[in-house]
Short mmCIF file of all heavy atoms in Angstrom, two decimals:
data_model
loop_
_atom_site.label_atom_id
_atom_site.label_comp_id
_atom_site.label_asym_id
_atom_site.label_seq_id
_atom_site.Cartn_x
_atom_site.Cartn_y
_atom_site.Cartn_z
N PRO A 294 105.59 105.97 77.45
CA PRO A 294 104.48 105.95 76.53
C PRO A 294 103.90 104.52 76.53
O PRO A 294 104.40 103.50 76.79
CB PRO A 294 105.17 106.27 75.24
CG PRO A 294 106.59 105.96 75.34
CD PRO A 294 106.85 106.10 76.88
N TRP A 295 102.57 104.43 76.14
CA TRP A 295 101.74 103.25 76.08
C TRP A 295 102.47 102.21 75.21
O TRP A 295 102.45 100.99 75.54
CB TRP A 295 100.41 103.45 75.63
CG TRP A 295 99.45 103.64 76.77
CD1 TRP A 295 98.79 104.69 77.07
CD2 TRP A 295 99.10 102.72 77.74
NE1 TRP A 295 98.04 104.56 78.24
CE2 TRP A 295 98.19 103.31 78.74
CE3 TRP A 295 99.46 101.38 77.97
CZ2 TRP A 295 97.66 102.68 79.78
CZ3 TRP A 295 98.89 100.70 79.11
CH2 TRP A 295 97.91 101.36 79.96
N GLU A 296 103.10 102.56 74.06
CA GLU A 296 103.68 101.61 73.19
C GLU A 296 104.84 100.92 73.78
O GLU A 296 105.43 100.00 73.20
CB GLU A 296 104.03 102.25 71.86
CG GLU A 296 104.87 103.47 71.95
CD GLU A 296 104.13 104.82 72.02
OE1 GLU A 296 102.93 104.76 72.44
OE2 GLU A 296 104.70 105.84 71.71
N GLU A 297 105.43 101.42 74.97
CA GLU A 297 106.55 100.80 75.55
C GLU A 297 106.12 100.02 76.89
O GLU A 297 106.99 99.49 77.57
CB GLU A 297 107.49 101.86 75.98
CG GLU A 297 108.12 102.52 74.66
CD GLU A 297 109.28 103.55 75.09
OE1 GLU A 297 109.64 103.54 76.24
OE2 GLU A 297 109.60 104.34 74.21
N VAL A 298 104.77 99.99 77.10
CA VAL A 298 104.42 99.20 78.37
C VAL A 298 104.20 97.79 77.90
O VAL A 298 103.42 97.41 77.08
CB VAL A 298 103.08 99.81 78.84
CG1 VAL A 298 102.47 98.93 79.93
CG2 VAL A 298 103.23 101.22 79.28
N PRO A 299 104.92 96.81 78.63
CA PRO A 299 104.83 95.48 78.19
C PRO A 299 103.53 94.90 78.51
O PRO A 299 102.77 95.26 79.46
CB PRO A 299 105.96 94.81 79.07
CG PRO A 299 106.21 95.67 80.19
CD PRO A 299 105.95 97.06 79.68
N PHE A 300 103.02 93.97 77.67
CA PHE A 300 101.72 93.28 77.85
C PHE A 300 100.51 94.15 77.70
O PHE A 300 99.73 93.95 76.73
CB PHE A 300 101.72 92.49 79.14
CG PHE A 300 100.44 91.61 79.31
CD1 PHE A 300 100.39 90.44 78.57
CD2 PHE A 300 99.41 91.97 80.08
CE1 PHE A 300 99.20 89.64 78.63
CE2 PHE A 300 98.23 91.25 80.14
CZ PHE A 300 98.16 90.06 79.42
N TRP A 301 100.32 95.12 78.67
CA TRP A 301 99.12 95.82 78.62
C TRP A 301 98.81 96.77 77.48
O TRP A 301 97.64 97.08 77.26
CB TRP A 301 98.89 96.62 79.96
CG TRP A 301 98.79 95.75 81.21
CD1 TRP A 301 99.64 95.39 82.13
CD2 TRP A 301 97.61 94.97 81.42
NE1 TRP A 301 99.17 94.50 83.02
CE2 TRP A 301 97.87 94.17 82.61
CE3 TRP A 301 96.35 94.75 80.77
CZ2 TRP A 301 96.98 93.33 83.20
CZ3 TRP A 301 95.47 93.86 81.31
CH2 TRP A 301 95.69 93.23 82.45
N ARG A 302 99.87 97.11 76.77
CA ARG A 302 99.67 97.96 75.56
C ARG A 302 98.74 97.22 74.57
O ARG A 302 98.11 97.85 73.68
CB ARG A 302 100.96 98.31 74.91
CG ARG A 302 101.80 97.30 74.34
CD ARG A 302 103.12 97.93 73.65
NE ARG A 302 103.89 97.00 73.00
CZ ARG A 302 104.95 96.34 73.56
NH1 ARG A 302 105.13 96.63 74.90
NH2 ARG A 302 105.72 95.54 72.89
N TYR A 303 98.72 95.87 74.53
CA TYR A 303 97.92 95.09 73.67
C TYR A 303 96.44 94.95 74.13
O TYR A 303 95.63 94.48 73.45
CB TYR A 303 98.51 93.72 73.42
CG TYR A 303 99.91 93.83 72.83
CD1 TYR A 303 101.02 93.41 73.54
CD2 TYR A 303 100.17 94.27 71.50
CE1 TYR A 303 102.30 93.50 73.01
CE2 TYR A 303 101.40 94.35 70.94
CZ TYR A 303 102.46 93.94 71.78
OH TYR A 303 103.70 94.05 71.17
N TRP A 304 96.31 95.39 75.41
CA TRP A 304 94.92 95.33 76.03
C TRP A 304 94.29 96.65 76.16
O TRP A 304 93.34 96.90 76.97
CB TRP A 304 94.95 94.56 77.31
CG TRP A 304 95.51 93.16 77.12
CD1 TRP A 304 96.84 92.79 76.97
CD2 TRP A 304 94.87 92.00 77.18
NE1 TRP A 304 97.00 91.48 76.79
CE2 TRP A 304 95.82 90.90 76.87
CE3 TRP A 304 93.53 91.62 77.17
CZ2 TRP A 304 95.50 89.59 76.83
CZ3 TRP A 304 93.12 90.22 77.13
CH2 TRP A 304 94.16 89.23 76.96
N ASN A 305 94.79 97.63 75.49
CA ASN A 305 94.34 98.98 75.55
C ASN A 305 93.21 99.12 74.60
O ASN A 305 93.51 99.30 73.36
CB ASN A 305 95.45 99.98 75.35
CG ASN A 305 94.94 101.41 75.24
OD1 ASN A 305 93.94 101.73 75.60
ND2 ASN A 305 95.88 102.23 74.77
N GLY A 306 91.96 99.06 75.01
CA GLY A 306 90.89 99.14 74.13
C GLY A 306 90.52 100.44 73.64
O GLY A 306 89.61 100.65 72.91
#
Side-chain angles (χ1 to χ4, degrees):
W295 266 111
E296 55 269 23
E297 294 180 16
V298 173
F300 183 77
W301 288 110
R302 68 178 180 267
Y303 300 109
W304 301 77
N305 173 12

